[in-house]
Amino acid sequence: MKKNSTAQDIALIAVFAAIVIVLGFVSIPVGAAGVPIVLQNAAVILAGLVLGWRRGLSSAAIFLLVGLALPVLAGGRTVISALGGPTVGYLVGYLVSAAVAGAIAYTAPARSNKAANIGILVVAGYVGLFFQYLCGVFGLMWRAQMSFGAAWAAQVPFLLPDAGKVALMIAIAFAVHQAFPDLRGARK
């Protein structure tokens, strides 16, 4: 199979969508807005960091499409049930964060030095997380009738856990890129 083939891309997208789905079994409810601490948000960022923006976005989209029919969201919910709740913005944030993290992560040349790769992955991971929060804030404003400030304040309980999860995803992404340097394939 040649590098960057369609079959390989489909397989990678499916594997990462499955990882996101499996991590939906971990959900810890916290905060006043009823938004749980989950691992799915970090897995979506990992998909972007490892696969790049197109495949990472596709992975998140497949996960959400499966969620229209099956209860794959954290807490055993479907995407349909979440659309009417306060977490709707985070679902949009999954798509945005995977794309943003992937776009930034793939700005580094495939064979650049380790420090540069780690630095770019750190920026990519945390900018992706910021966009999840931003989309989540708008979802809370819309569905929970919160003010902009109150919606941002609702993010506070998640800052440290999410920072730790993203740090772990950055380490995993770096290890994957070290082990499989050709994963990035030919750039267009």
Side-chain angles (χ1 to χ4, degrees):
M1 183 178 346
K2 69 178 184 168
K3 283 191 255 179
N4 207 19
S5 73
T6 302
Q8 183 181 25
D9 286 348
I10 291 170
L12 290 168
I13 290 165
V15 165
F16 274 86
I19 289 169
V20 175
I21 289 168
V22 167
L23 290 177
F25 293 109
V26 179
S27 175
I28 304 166
V30 293
V35 181
I37 291 178
V38 298
L39 292 177
Q40 285 180 324
N41 68 325
V44 170
I45 291 172
L46 176 65
L49 294 175
V50 171
L51 301 178
W53 81 268
R54 283 188 183 107
R55 295 181 294 184
L57 174 64
S58 297
S59 180
I62 295 294
F63 153 66
L64 292 173
L65 286 172
V66 169
L68 288 172
L70 300 174
V72 298
L73 292 180
R77 296 177 307 133
T78 64
V79 169
I80 296 289
S81 69
L83 290 176
T87 60
V88 66
Y90 297 101
L91 299 181
V92 173
Y94 285 0
L95 297 169
V96 173
S97 66
V100 168
I104 295 170
Y106 273 52
T107 61
R111 306 255 189 249
S112 62
N113 68 46
K114 289 181 181 183
N117 278 336
I118 291 170
I120 289 173
L121 288 173
V122 167
V123 169
Y126 289 109
V127 169
L129 182 61
F130 170 79
F131 277 99
Q132 276 187 10
Y133 283 156
L134 183 63
C135 292
V137 163
F138 288 120
L140 290 172
M141 290 171 62
W142 181 36
R143 292 294 188 190
Q145 282 74 47
M146 294 179 137
S147 68
F148 186 75
W152 271 113
Q155 311 297 317
V156 172
F158 303 97
L159 292 176
L160 287 176
D162 284 349
K165 291 184 298 185
V166 170
L168 178 62
M169 297 305 125
I170 290 165
I172 292 169
F174 178 73
V176 169
H177 284 299
Q178 291 295 302
F180 302 100
D182 293 333
L183 182 63
R184 293 180 184 201
R187 302 242 174 95
K188 293 181 171 98

